[in-house]
């Protein structure tokens, strides 16, 4: 990683200073959202039951609304005419597939057995979390860290395809076959290709289609300059509004369980903290070694570290029940992931000056901040 010279860095210096107040204080807002969710979950009788009842075909409507609002602005910023520059990057694509579908599930399996050998329900829940690769929040983390938006869109789409094909197969392998080979306790998983495809279609398909149509129709009607300088700055902040809303809902749904079983939450949190840190650090190191440049290294790291918590929770509830330990482990997943990956956004921005980026996809004037 060679330091970037002053000429190259001029358009991109002082990234944190150029952030809006909402972005600079995001950890504070996340903390407020967490506290608000916990207070609502504990202080409003029956709120968690009501939120759980607002579903459509097994999908939580409040969580779906938050995720869709969160993802749309970022996907509206993607330059879809540049996706071919990503699909030709074999090092990036192969690295992402290996990290997400070989390293990630194996690492979570190892951490679950290492830290929770005496708690089979939580252990199984964590393994399910490790199998559900992220197709939602990673878009926001990548954008906040100034990663490659086009690369993120391609890798998330690739993960979604593999998720439909491989989730059930890997669930069977890591919960039943591998433990049997190792002489460990076996478990089962119950899911269907439609359940997984439904998650992909809702949480990726809808905002991706909306983002693509926004750019195509907006540029056709008023031109790229208007779209980049007028439209995107208006919709950009909604990504973080959607994120904060989703955090409030998640903690409100599980506030009672979290506060009534604090030691269980801590035990689940320890392997999750190790998992997110190792996956992000491993992805970042691999990208740096391969010379992917800052933007694509950042994208590789965040797509490797994130998980599709909505799918993991849905599978755990469908298989073991809403009050099961497996479901609680699935819920704790995003509660640890959100603050950890927010912190890693700032770590990535601090590391940015170490890179000479060979994949600068657009000058700063064409890439307004969210």
């Amino acid at each position: 990683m060679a330091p970037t010279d002053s000429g190259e860095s001029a358009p991109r210096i002082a990234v944190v200073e150029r952030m809006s107040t909402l972005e600079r204080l995001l950890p504070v807002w996340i903390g407020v959202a967490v506290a608000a969710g916990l207070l609502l979950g504990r202080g409003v009788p029956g709120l968690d039951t009501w939120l759980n009842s607002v579903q459509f075909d097994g999908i939580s409507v409040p969580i779906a609304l938050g995720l869709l609002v969160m993802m749309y602005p970022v996907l509206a910023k993607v330059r879809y005419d540049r996706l071919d520059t990503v699909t030709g990057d074999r090092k990036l694509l192969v690295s992402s597939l290996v990290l997400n579908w070989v390293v990630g599930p194996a690492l979570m399996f190892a951490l679950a057995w290492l830290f929770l050998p005496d708690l089979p329900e939580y252990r199984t829940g964590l393994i399910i979390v490790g199998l559900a690769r992220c197709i939602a929040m990673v878009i926001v983390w990548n954008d906040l860290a100034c990663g490659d938006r086009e690369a993120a869109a391609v890798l998330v789409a690739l993960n979604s395809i593999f998720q439909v094909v491989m989730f059930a197969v890997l669930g069977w392998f890591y919960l039943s076959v591998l433990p049997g080979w190792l002489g460990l306790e076996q478990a089962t998983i119950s899911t269907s290709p439609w359940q997984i495809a439904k998650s992909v279609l809702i949480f990726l398909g809808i905002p991706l289609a909306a983002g693509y149509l926004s750019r195509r129709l907006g540029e056709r009607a008023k031109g790229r300059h208007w779209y980049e300088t007028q439209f995107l700055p208006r919709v950009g902040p909604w990504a973080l509004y959607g994120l904060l809303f989703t955090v409030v809902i998640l903690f409100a749904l599980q506030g009672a369980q979290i506060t009534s079983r604090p030691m269980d939450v801590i035990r689940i949190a320890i392997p999750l903290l190790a998992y997110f840190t190792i996956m992000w650090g491993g992805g970042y190191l691999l990208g740096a070694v391969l010379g992917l440049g800052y933007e694509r290294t950042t994208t590789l790291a965040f797509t490797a570290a994130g998980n599709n918590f909505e799918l993991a929770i849905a599978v755990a509830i469908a298989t073991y029940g809403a009050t099961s330990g497996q479901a609680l482990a699935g819920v704790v997943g995003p509660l640890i992931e959100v603050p950890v990956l927010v912190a890693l956004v700032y770590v990535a921005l601090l590391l940015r000056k170490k890179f000479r980026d060979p994949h600068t996809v657009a000058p700063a004037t064409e890439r307004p901040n969210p």
Side-chain angles (χ1 to χ4, degrees), residues 225-291:
H225 179 75
W226 172 87
Y227 186 84
E228 297 278 0
T229 63
Q230 300 295 320
F231 179 75
L232 290 183
R234 292 176 183 173
V235 301
W238 283 93
L240 299 186
Y241 300 152
L243 171 62
L244 295 175
F245 174 80
T246 303
V247 171
V248 171
I249 295 299
L250 283 171
F251 276 83
L253 277 167
Q254 299 296 330
Q257 283 204 69
I258 292 168
T259 54
S260 63
R261 301 159 74 177
M263 293 309 300
D264 287 359
V265 171
I266 291 172
R267 289 201 62 181
I268 296 169
I270 292 172
L272 282 169
L273 181 61
Y275 172 84
F276 293 129
T277 305
I278 293 171
M279 288 299 294
W280 188 89
Y284 211 91
L285 180 61
L286 179 60
V289 169
L290 293 175

